[in-house]
Amino acid sequence: MSGRPARLHAPGWGMLTRKNILAGLLFIAIAAAGLWISRSYPIGTALRVGTGYVPRLLLWFLLGLGAVIFFQGLLENDEKSNADRTSILRPLIFVSTALVVFGLTIERLGLVIAILLLMFIGSFATRDLKIVETAITAAVLAVISITIFILGLGLTIPVWPEW
């Protein structure tokens, strides 16, 4: 460690290996695409909001969050080892796989098992999680999801598989 303060780095391909740069760019791209897609949605007024009011508000927040994360990534030191750089695809692969498995299993296996699969497959994205932490988080997420989506909103999502 050189003791130098963090500074803006010259642009280059090496910057794309920083997770905050990538996350910020991803948030900005999603927000920009969402704002472009929702450009014709009626916003309405403060007392009578239209269908585009909340989505566009959330997209503006996402755009701002992406900008903040992106600029934090610019200020990061670039002193990561090559071992850290080789595992850059690990989170992308396991989180994407977990989301696909969740989407494919929620109707057949129910909300609870789909959430358990989501959490356990997603936990392989990092080496720092322990099985007990993952199980507790999955159980809490399942209870919150049932409370919000089934009891609160009355959605007809199967909770358990129908065998």
Side-chain angles (χ1 to χ4, degrees):
M1 200 166 214
S2 63
R4 290 182 284 169
R7 61 181 179 83
L8 290 175
H9 296 281
W13 289 108
M15 290 179 65
L16 291 179
T17 61
R18 297 184 202 158
K19 61 183 175 184
N20 283 347
I21 297 267
L22 289 174
L25 289 174
L26 178 67
F27 289 170
I28 290 169
I30 290 171
L35 287 169
W36 185 77
I37 290 169
S38 68
R39 70 188 183 280
S40 63
Y41 294 173
I43 296 175
T45 65
L47 295 175
R48 190 170 171 93
V49 296
T51 56
Y53 186 84
V54 173
R56 292 186 71 178
L57 179 67
L58 293 175
L59 288 167
W60 280 109
F61 279 123
L62 183 63
L63 184 72
L65 178 66
V68 168
I69 292 172
F70 176 77
F71 286 115
Q72 283 179 344
L74 289 177
L75 296 174
E76 284 180 353
N77 288 330
D78 207 15
E79 298 177 7
K80 293 187 178 181
S81 67
N82 285 335
D84 289 341
R85 292 177 194 262
T86 58
S87 66
I88 195 168
L89 292 178
R90 183 181 177 107
L92 179 67
I93 291 168
F94 282 107
V95 171
S96 299
T97 302
L99 291 171
V100 169
V101 167
F102 176 81
L104 294 174
T105 60
I106 190 167
E107 288 185 15
R108 291 182 187 242
L109 298 179
L111 184 63
V112 173
I113 295 177
I115 287 175
L116 292 174
L117 288 171
L118 171 79
M119 292 301 299
F120 283 106
I121 294 170
S123 70
F124 289 111
T126 181
R127 297 177 187 174
D128 298 334
L129 287 181
K130 295 172 181 55
I131 191 79
V132 174
E133 294 171 342
T134 304
I136 291 171
T137 305
V140 169
L141 183 60
V143 168
I144 290 172
S145 297
I146 290 170
T147 304
I148 291 173
F149 297 113
I150 308 293
L151 301 176
L153 296 174
L155 297 179
T156 57
I157 301 170
V159 178
W160 296 103
E162 296 179 18
W163 290 328

